[in-house]
């Protein structure tokens, strides 16, 4: 039966992987784009033919192309030089305030020069809303192309490829502008052949807050006096790194903002000293940051990016610098393109910012709006092939269309007709002497153009890409088939166990009634699946898992109390005297037989530990996404003195080291391997302590490179120790009992096979896994998560002890699922959410001296799924204490029998529950594909579901491979 179960399980997993791959391919396609680059044709009205059918004009030398654009555009370039300064992660409210109110006094004093420019009406600032996902690479693409990329750009952010679509930098380069780039190497990866000079730094090594910015500023003196460049890109990363390490309120934040303010002053002074009024300084941020300093989601704090323009065309006599001027990040591309006399990129959906064109005449301002409208129209024609501009304008009833027509084509036609009609009227009034009428028509035309542009831009940004529905349905069918395979396998396994118990076991195992804990688990899983269809439940999923876990263990508490009250029952007495608790099954914990009273007391204590620890963990991080501003323990510790946090970390590390020492002591193994592993664990614990006290917390000092060496040494010792334990543990425990069979036995007096050898071997491996895993988490996780990690660890071992003290109180499948519930509750208890912003990027670079996509990605995964993987590793310890006394003959020591008895359910049930969750949520995502929150709520959650699937595969693989190796060694020793 074991081989059949294995083959069915492998088949189910392969089907699941195939279905998941198909769905990801079909649901997250790359957004359709117009190919090629805009040219002189962009200055002409679009025709009714296919968009890509326009003949490509022959390439011209840069100077001729620049002259051609100036001639056909009808608009002189406003500026000749551009300095694009990107301050990574800077929230707009740090500079412009929020809700019409100025920023805090601390923030204003951090950027005195910038604030003086705003107050003197020499600069114009915007809250430029960034589209999710709020990570650097897709946001840079949006700035230079005006297009919103696909959602999976968040994955490509870690492995940037060359950007081949139409964009502002390529357009500037084609007309002869020379470009220089200093800072984030993402620009170099996007445009590998574009820059005449470049000096890139890695954006992912977030532990560095000083050198990344120094490498940019050290070139400023040379570049600001150089005359050979036309475009200078400066990308500063330090402020974003400060946020990742210490959050918005880090003591390093104001110092970093003063540094950025000084750079703005230096650049602006250089342009004034050279009398270069035709230099535009644009200060932008790619995204904002949450209170914790992370980003990637769609909250206001993350999407509130800055767009600050400093140049002669924005200067005014009167202004309100802290008005809530709002724009979109994509508006940067058409605005800069028209200011510098190049065509607007083909795939742009942005709308120009009119305040930057104050130096132009009214007719030229209308021309900029007309060019922006023509470019948007070409993009609309690609999405709506039947739409024809000429027919729309020439239709007699176009002005009489209702403002809320049924078809999108008619609504677009309505806005366009009004804009073009008012524009034409303003042209006719230019030859007349009625200036007031001309101004009226110009104002009307501007309003109508903006009405069309904003409507069309919003429609294009929310335009759902055509998804191959049949492909998505096929993917869901494969996942459903995989889920049915696993259900059938588990069902057949239960039937086989029932028959075996009916043949071998006592009456206590024949109870086939449904108990409260079993019913609750099934109802809980059903409720969880239903909750996945609600955006609010998805955003606050931690409440679901906290409810399921605490209620389940409360039921366990009730059953424990009931069993204690029935302690005088004769059946219970027989269980005590019989096989329900055998000292051999708990041999590593005690060599003394527990009395019923002590055992009941231990059971009660273990459940209470789980419940109390769960309550503390729940109070540690308050709220998921919507209630993150609520006060909690973690926020209090973040504001407390760093020595308090270090002390809590030290307590956690010492507790883990002590518990491992006690566990090995109770195992009573005299092997040198065990002593060696113990010493290595002590060494690793001391390294973690050294890392904690060496690590610089909230200081302005550069990163301490000693901590990197300490972490590397920890990785090396832990890897060798774990590998040695896994390989050696099956060989160091005896397979035969030292006592011969009694003389009364029918067989010859031979040594009996002792199942304790297998259990002790699995226990040693499992306890080593979980103890080193705890130390790794204490090394990588945020310092404020040290106590929650210790509590999750205590929950794990309390659950294992509880299940081992009375194996008849709960069925095995209930025990396995209870531990999986604990893992998910702990996952959210460590501050994780279903928003990409909660991913801890800073910890992924501990022990990493240079950026590595693979290594940092693995560490990020380890940090995010530390709790579920801890429970999977704890499952090995659970396997070692559950009943396996019937492995006592040479026939039963065969590999297939060992695996069937020990690991089948602990491997199958997590796969089944994950399969149900994956299939259900995939179906939900398909149904919600046109929902308003599909990209901001449901899609990020789906990435977490996919990562949880990988986590399940990794956890189950570790359990299975460890058991297979251990069983194979013991099976080999009996031959």
């Amino acid at each position: 039966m074991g081989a059949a179960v294995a083959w069915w399980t492998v088949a189910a997993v392969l089907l699941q992987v195939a279905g998941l791959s198909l769905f990801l391919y079909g649901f997250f396609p790359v957004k359709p784009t117009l190919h090629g680059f805009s040219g002189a044709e962009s200055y002409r009205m679009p025709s009714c033919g296919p968009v890509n059918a326009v003949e490509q004009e022959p390439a011209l030398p840069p100077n001729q192309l620049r002259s051609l654009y100036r001639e056909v555009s009808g608009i002189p370039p406003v500026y000749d030089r551009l300095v694009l300064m990107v301050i990574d992660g800077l929230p707009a409210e740090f500079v412009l305030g929020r809700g019409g109110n100025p920023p805090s006094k601390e923030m204003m004093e951090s950027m005195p020069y910038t604030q003086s420019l705003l107050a003197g009406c020499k600069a114009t600032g915007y809250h430029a809303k960034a589209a999710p996902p709020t990570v650097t690479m897709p946001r840079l693409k949006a700035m230079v192309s005006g297009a919103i990329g696909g959602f999976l750009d968040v994955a490509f952010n870690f492995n940037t490829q060359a950007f081949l679509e139409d964009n502002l930098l390529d357009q500037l380069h084609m007309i002869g502008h020379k470009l220089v780039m200093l800072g984030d190497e993402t620009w170099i990866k996007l445009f590998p052949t574009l820059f005449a000079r470049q000096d890139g730094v890695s954006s992912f090594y977030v532990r560095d807050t000083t050198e990344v910015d120094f490498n940019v500023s050290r070139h400023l003196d040379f570049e600001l006096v150089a005359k050979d460049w036309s475009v200078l890109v400066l990308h500063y990363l330090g402020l974003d790194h400060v946020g990742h390490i210490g959050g918005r309120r880090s003591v390093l934040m104001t110092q970093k903002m003063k540094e950025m303010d000084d750079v703005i002053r230096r650049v602006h002074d250089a342009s004034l000293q050279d009398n270069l009024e035709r230099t535009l300084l644009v200060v932008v941020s790619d995204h904002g940051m949450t209170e914790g300093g992370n980003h990637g989601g769609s909250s206001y704090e993350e999407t509130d990016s800055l767009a600050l323009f400093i140049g002669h065309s924005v200067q005014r006599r009167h202004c309100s610098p802290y008005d809530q001027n709002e724009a979109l990040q994509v508006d940067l591309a058409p605005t800069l393109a028209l200011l510098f006399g190049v065509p607007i990129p083909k795939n742009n959906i942005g709308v120009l910012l009119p305040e930057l064109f104050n130096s132009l005449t009214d007719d030229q301002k209308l021309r900029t709006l007309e060019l922006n409208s023509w470019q948007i129209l070409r993009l609309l024609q690609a999405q709506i092939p039947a739409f024809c501009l000429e027919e729309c304008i020439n239709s007699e009833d176009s002005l009489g269309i209702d403002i809320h027509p049924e078809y999108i084509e008619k609504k677009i036609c309505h806005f366009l007709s009004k804009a073009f009609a008012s524009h034409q009227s303003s042209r006719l009034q230019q030859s007349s002497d009625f200036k007031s009428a001309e101004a009226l028509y110009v104002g009307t035309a501007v309003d109508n153009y903006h009405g069309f542009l904003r409507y069309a831009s919003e429609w294009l940004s929310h335009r759902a890409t055509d998804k191959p529905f049949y492909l998505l349905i096929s993917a869901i069918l494969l996942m459903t088939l995989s889920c049915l395979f696993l259900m059938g396998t588990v069902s057949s396994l239960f039937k086989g166990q029932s028959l075996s118990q009916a043949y071998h076991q006592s009456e206590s195992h024949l109870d086939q009634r449904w108990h409260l804990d079993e019913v609750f688990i099934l109802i809980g899983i059903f409720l969880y699946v239903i909750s996945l269809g609600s955006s609010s439940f998805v955003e606050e999923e931690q409440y679901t898992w906290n409810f399921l876990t605490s209620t389940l263990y409360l039921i366990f508490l009730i059953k424990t109390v009931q069993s204690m009250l029935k302690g005088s029952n004769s059946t219970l007495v027989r269980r005590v005297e019989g096989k329900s608790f055998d000292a051999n099954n708990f041999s590593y914990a005690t060599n003394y037989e527990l009395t019923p009273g002590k055992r009941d007391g231990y059971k009660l204590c273990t459940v209470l530990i789980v419940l109390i620890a769960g309550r503390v963990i729940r109070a540690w991080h308050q709220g998921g996404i919507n209630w993150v501003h609520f006060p909690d323990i973690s926020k209090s510790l973040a504001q407390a003195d760093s020595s308090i946090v270090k002390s809590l970390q030290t307590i956690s590390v010492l507790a883990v080291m002590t518990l491992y020492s006690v566990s090995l002591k109770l195992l009573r193994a005299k092997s040198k391997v065990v002593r060696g592993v113990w010493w290595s664990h002590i060494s690793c614990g001391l390294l973690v302590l050294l890392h904690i006290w060496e690590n610089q917390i909230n200081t302005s000092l550069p990163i301490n490179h000693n901590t990197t060496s300490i972490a590397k040494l920890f990785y090396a010792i832990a890897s060798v120790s774990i590998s040695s334990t896994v390989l050696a543990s099956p060989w160091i425990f005896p397979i035969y009992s030292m006592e011969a069979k009694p003389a009364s036995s029918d067989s010859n007096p031979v040594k009996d096979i002792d199942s304790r050898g297998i259990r002790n071997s699995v226990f040693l491996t499992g306890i080593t896994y979980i103890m080193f895993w705890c130390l790794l988490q204490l090394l990588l996780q945020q310092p404020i998560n040290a106590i929650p990690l210790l509590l999750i660890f205590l929950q794990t071992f309390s659950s294992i002890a509880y299940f081992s003290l009375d194996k008849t109180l709960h069925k095995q499948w209930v025990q396995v699922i209870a531990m999986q519930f604990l893992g998910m509750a702990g996952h959210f208890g460590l501050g994780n959410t279903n928003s990409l912003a909660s991913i801890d990027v800073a910890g992924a670079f501990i022990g990493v001296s240079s950026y590595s996509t693979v290594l940092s990605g693995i560490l990020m995964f380890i940090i995010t799924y530390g709790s579920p993987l801890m429970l999977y590793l704890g499952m090995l310890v659970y396997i070692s204490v559950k009943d396996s006394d019937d492995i006592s003959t040479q026939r039963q020591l065969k590999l297939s029998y060992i695996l069937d008895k020990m690991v089948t359910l602990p491997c199958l049930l997590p796969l089944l529950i994950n399969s149900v969750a994956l299939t259900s949520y995939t179906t939900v995502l398909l149904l919600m594909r046109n929902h308003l929150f599909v990209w901001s709520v449901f899609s990020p959650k789906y990435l977490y579901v996919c990562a949880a699937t990988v986590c399940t595969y990794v956890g189950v693989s570790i359990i299975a491979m460890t058991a297979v190796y251990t069983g194979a060694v013991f099976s080999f020793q009996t031959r």
Side-chain angles (χ1 to χ4, degrees):
M1 181 177 176
V5 168
W7 282 113
W8 279 106
T9 304
V10 170
V13 169
L14 291 177
L15 283 173
Q16 190 177 85
V17 171
L20 181 58
S21 302
L22 279 178
F23 190 85
L24 289 173
Y25 175 79
F27 192 83
F28 296 108
V30 177
K31 285 199 171 186
T33 57
L34 297 178
H35 301 292
F37 289 80
S38 295
E41 80 284 347
S42 64
Y43 297 104
R44 297 190 290 267
M45 181 182 290
S47 62
C48 288
V51 178
N52 288 319
V54 179
E55 294 185 6
Q56 200 73 16
E57 298 181 4
L60 296 175
N63 290 335
Q64 294 184 24
L65 193 61
R66 182 185 298 195
S67 301
L68 175 64
Y69 287 164
R70 184 172 301 185
E71 178 184 345
V72 297
S73 68
I75 310 170
V78 181
Y79 295 99
D80 296 327
R81 298 183 105 196
L82 170 66
V83 179
L84 180 62
M85 179 179 173
V86 183
I87 305 177
D88 206 294
L90 175 64
E93 66 177 285
F94 281 13
V95 180
L96 304 176
R98 182 171 180 176
N101 299 314
S104 65
K105 182 181 178 181
E106 184 183 28
M107 292 300 173
M108 293 187 71
E109 291 175 350
S110 300
M111 304 192 78
Y113 188 80
T114 304
Q115 293 299 332
S116 68
L117 292 176
L118 285 168
C121 302
K122 296 180 181 179
T124 298
Y126 293 88
H127 294 261
K129 184 179 181 181
T134 46
V135 290
T136 297
M137 186 268 286
R139 302 283 54 81
L140 297 184
K141 285 183 178 180
M143 286 187 218
V144 298
S145 70
I148 297 177
F151 182 80
L152 285 186
D153 272 344
V154 68
F156 303 139
N157 184 60
F158 295 96
N159 188 23
T160 306
Q161 304 296 324
F163 189 44
L164 304 178
E165 296 176 21
D166 193 3
N167 64 85
L168 176 68
L169 297 189
D170 273 309
Q171 289 287 355
L172 291 169
H173 184 260
M174 283 190 285
I175 65 170
H177 286 286
K178 186 175 181 180
L179 289 79
V180 176
M181 200 293 301
L182 306 171
D184 187 354
E185 64 182 4
T186 303
W187 289 95
I188 301 174
K189 294 178 180 179
L190 288 172
F191 308 102
T193 61
L194 211 56
F195 300 108
R197 289 191 298 276
Q198 60 191 30
D199 186 10
V201 295
S202 175
S203 61
F204 297 105
Y205 192 61
V206 300
R207 310 295 294 184
D208 178 14
T209 63
T210 55
E211 292 181 8
V212 284
D213 289 347
F214 173 76
N215 285 336
V216 180
S217 296
R218 66 193 176 104
H219 297 285
L220 274 183
D221 290 336
F222 171 79
E223 295 297 348
L224 291 179
V225 298
K227 307 295 183 183
D228 61 337
W229 56 263
S230 303
V231 179
L232 175 62
V233 179
L234 308 172
H235 193 138
Y236 286 91
L237 293 162
L239 190 140
D240 179 67
H241 292 185
V242 167
H244 280 299
I245 295 174
R248 272 189 175 217
R249 306 183 190 279
S250 170
V251 295
L252 296 177
M253 189 61 72
T254 54
Q255 177 184 340
K256 183 57 66 174
M257 290 180 66
K258 289 178 182 178
E259 184 183 334
M260 296 298 98
D261 186 64
D262 184 63
V263 173
I264 294 173
R265 180 192 59 78
R266 291 171 64 185
V267 174
H268 190 230
D269 284 349
S271 64
L272 293 178
Q273 289 173 4
D274 292 341
N275 198 25
L276 296 174
E277 289 189 354
R278 295 179 65 82
T279 297
L280 175 65
L281 170 59
V282 183
V283 183
V284 296
S285 59
D286 49 354
H287 49 74
M289 64 174 67
T290 63
E291 283 295 324
N294 294 318
H295 53 87
S298 57
S299 67
Y300 175 84
E301 289 76 14
E302 296 163 84
T303 59
D304 180 38
S305 64
L306 174 70
L308 181 69
F309 299 87
I310 305 171
H312 70 86
S313 69
V314 302
Q315 296 180 9
R316 306 178 303 285
R317 291 184 179 180
H318 306 286
C319 64
S320 300
Y322 304 117
D323 283 348
Q324 190 83 4
N325 295 327
E326 295 184 348
L328 298 178
Q329 199 174 61
V330 290
D331 296 342
L332 195 67
T335 301
L336 293 180
L338 292 168
L339 286 172
F340 284 85
V342 295
I344 299 173
K346 276 189 174 184
N347 297 295
N348 164 72
I349 64 169
V351 179
L352 63 87
L353 302 173
E355 292 82 0
L356 271 78
F357 297 88
N358 292 333
S359 60
L360 300 181
T361 65
D362 287 343
D363 187 52
Q364 289 171 338
K365 291 178 183 178
L366 288 178
R367 175 62 171 164
T368 61
L369 290 168
E370 183 180 52
L371 292 176
N372 198 177
S373 299
W374 286 353
Q375 179 269 319
I376 292 285
L377 274 172
R378 288 185 172 88
L379 204 56
L380 284 169
Q381 286 179 333
Q383 299 283 344
I384 313 172
F387 182 78
C388 180
L389 175 61
E390 296 173 0
E391 294 177 1
C392 173
I393 296 176
N394 296 329
S395 61
E396 296 180 359
D397 60 342
S398 60
L399 291 177
I401 296 175
D402 181 30
I403 197 165
H404 296 294
E406 182 179 355
Y407 299 107
I408 181 65
E409 295 93 333
K410 291 184 178 180
K411 196 163 188 177
I412 292 172
C413 192
H414 167 73
F415 282 115
L416 269 179
S417 299
K418 290 179 64 178
F420 287 146
S422 53
H423 190 179
Q424 185 63 28
S425 299
S426 70
R427 286 172 177 162
L428 294 175
Q429 290 296 329
Q430 287 179 3
S431 58
S432 69
D433 295 331
F434 298 101
K435 297 300 180 182
S436 59
E438 179 186 351
L440 177 63
Y441 277 111
V442 169
T444 304
V446 169
D447 292 340
N448 289 334
Y449 269 126
H450 271 286
F452 160 72
L453 287 169
R454 281 301 174 199
Y455 175 78
S457 173
E458 185 178 359
W459 184 82
L460 286 167
S461 65
H462 291 97
R463 171 72 169 166
T465 54
D466 293 331
K467 301 177 178 67
F469 191 74
Y470 67 92
L471 186 65
L472 301 181
I473 290 295
S474 302
I476 291 177
L477 288 176
L478 287 175
M479 294 186 200
T480 305
L481 189 60
S482 168
C483 192
L484 293 175
F485 275 19
L486 290 172
M487 285 182 179
T489 305
V490 172
S491 177
S492 63
L493 197 64
F494 282 163
K495 290 180 180 178
Q497 285 186 346
S498 298
L499 292 174
S500 175
Q501 289 172 356
Y503 184 76
H504 291 103
Q505 305 296 338
S506 61
E507 292 181 1
S508 64
H509 292 86
L510 297 177
D511 186 4
Q512 299 299 319
R513 295 175 300 169
W514 285 93
H515 296 274
L516 180 59
D517 52 352
E518 300 162 17
V519 174
F520 175 77
I521 284 178
L522 296 180
I523 294 176
I525 293 174
F526 175 75
L527 291 175
Y528 171 66
V529 169
I530 295 298
S531 73
L532 295 176
S534 165
S535 61
S536 297
F537 273 104
V538 169
E539 289 179 315
E540 307 298 331
E541 188 178 337
Q542 74 278 0
Y543 294 121
T544 302
W545 289 110
N546 287 334
F547 165 74
L548 292 178
T549 305
S550 58
T551 306
L552 180 59
Y553 275 83
L554 188 61
I555 294 173
F556 289 173
L557 180 63
I558 293 172
K559 293 192 71 171
T560 301
V561 172
Q562 288 176 343
S563 68
M564 292 171 64
L565 295 176
K566 296 177 182 179
S568 59
N569 187 287
S570 58
T571 303
L572 186 61
V573 171
R574 286 196 299 271
R575 289 183 187 173
V576 170
E577 296 173 349
K579 196 178 177 180
S580 67
F581 181 80
D582 182 2
N584 292 340
N585 286 348
F586 211 61
S587 59
Y588 57 83
T590 179
N591 282 337
Y592 302 99
E593 186 76 40
L594 290 176
T595 63
K598 283 186 177 181
R599 185 171 63 255
D600 290 338
Y602 288 156
K603 283 161 50 179
L604 188 63
C605 287
T606 53
V607 181
L608 288 175
I609 288 173
V610 174
L611 288 171
I612 294 172
R615 185 63 190 90
V616 176
I617 292 171
R618 196 154 62 250
W620 209 268
H621 291 279
Q622 177 64 47
I625 297 175
N626 295 321
W627 314 110
V628 70
H629 58 280
F630 280 14
D632 54 35
I633 300 175
S634 65
K635 293 185 181 67
S636 300
L637 288 176
Q639 301 300 320
D641 187 79
S642 61
S643 61
I644 298 176
V645 179
K646 286 184 176 182
S647 300
L648 294 177
Q649 288 180 278
T650 303
I651 292 171
S652 300
V653 174
L654 292 176
V656 172
M657 293 168 63
T658 302
L659 287 171
Y660 188 59
S661 300
V662 172
S663 299
L664 292 184
K665 186 72 174 176
L666 294 175
L667 187 60
R668 298 193 174 185
K670 305 297 184 181
S671 170
K672 293 181 180 178
V673 174
V674 176
R675 288 195 291 270
V677 173
W678 178 76
W679 276 111
S680 65
H681 188 267
I682 294 296
S683 302
C684 285
L686 294 176
L687 286 173
V688 174
L689 288 175
L690 184 61
H691 185 274
I692 290 170
W693 288 95
E694 281 282 334
N695 196 25
Q696 301 294 334
I697 298 180
N698 288 337
T699 70
S700 58
L701 298 175
I703 181 171
N704 189 343
H705 293 284
N706 290 335
T707 59
T708 302
S709 301
I710 293 170
K712 286 181 178 179
L713 185 59
F714 172 89
Y715 297 151
I717 295 177
S719 300
V720 172
S721 301
I722 293 172
S723 302
S724 302
T725 305
V726 172
L727 294 175
S729 63
W731 301 94
I732 62 178
F733 292 101
I735 190 170
Y736 293 106
S737 173
M738 300 307 295
E739 298 178 0
K741 285 187 178 182
S744 59
S745 175
D746 295 335
S747 59
N748 295 326
V750 295
K751 291 183 178 180
D752 195 7
I753 291 174
D754 189 356
S755 62
R756 281 183 298 181
I758 298 177
R759 290 201 305 274
N760 289 342
S761 173
V762 174
F763 173 78
L764 176 60
T765 303
I767 199 74
T768 303
Y769 278 154
I770 198 170
M771 293 296 184
F772 276 99
W773 183 259
C774 284
L775 290 181
L776 177 63
Q777 292 296 318
L778 289 168
L779 178 72
L780 298 178
Q781 289 276 357
Q782 296 180 18
I784 56 176
N785 278 340
I787 293 298
L789 276 168
L790 178 61
L791 294 176
I792 294 170
F793 172 76
L794 291 177
Q795 284 184 317
T796 304
F797 270 84
S798 296
S799 298
I800 294 170
Y802 171 73
F803 295 139
S804 67
L805 285 167
D806 191 345
K807 299 179 177 65
T808 62
L809 200 56
H810 309 284
K811 291 188 173 67
Q812 186 189 355
W813 68 270
V814 172
Q815 300 170 8
V816 172
I817 293 177
M819 293 186 67
Q820 196 167 12
F821 279 13
L822 271 181
M824 288 308 300
H827 169 73
F828 291 100
L830 291 174
N832 294 297
T833 67
N834 286 325
S835 168
L836 299 176
S838 62
I839 296 176
D840 182 11
V841 179
F845 297 91
I846 293 177
V848 180
S849 54
S850 60
Y851 176 67
S852 167
T853 303
V854 175
L855 183 57
S856 298
I858 292 173
L859 291 177
M860 207 176 300
F861 179 82
I862 288 173
I863 295 170
T864 306
Y865 287 92
S867 175
L869 284 170
M870 184 187 296
L871 269 295
Y872 283 125
L873 298 177
M875 203 76 76
L876 281 167
V877 183
Y878 163 77
I879 289 169
S880 69
V881 302
K882 78 185 186 74
D883 190 9
S884 56
D885 274 353
D886 51 351
I887 303 177
S888 56
T889 67
Q890 191 147 336
R891 180 188 65 81
Q892 291 167 341
L893 205 59
K894 290 183 178 178
L895 178 61
S896 59
Y897 189 83
I898 295 174
L899 296 180
D900 187 41
K901 288 293 297 181
M902 296 181 68
V903 301
T904 307
L905 275 182
C907 288
L908 276 178
L909 287 174
L911 287 172
L912 175 59
I913 292 177
N914 178 78
S915 179
V916 170
L918 177 63
T919 305
S920 303
Y921 194 71
T922 304
T923 306
V924 168
L925 190 59
L926 180 62
L927 297 175
M928 299 291 181
R929 64 189 182 279
N930 296 320
H931 193 278
L932 179 64
F933 299 144
V934 63
W935 301 119
S936 58
V937 176
F938 291 105
S939 294
K941 165 63 179 173
Y942 196 69
L943 296 185
Y944 277 103
V945 170
C946 295
T949 301
V950 175
C951 174
T952 304
Y953 291 162
V954 171
V956 169
S957 298
I958 292 174
I959 297 171
M961 288 189 294
T962 303
V964 167
Y965 174 73
T966 304
V969 170
F970 276 95
S971 181
F972 171 78
Q973 287 179 320
T974 60
R975 296 175 184 175

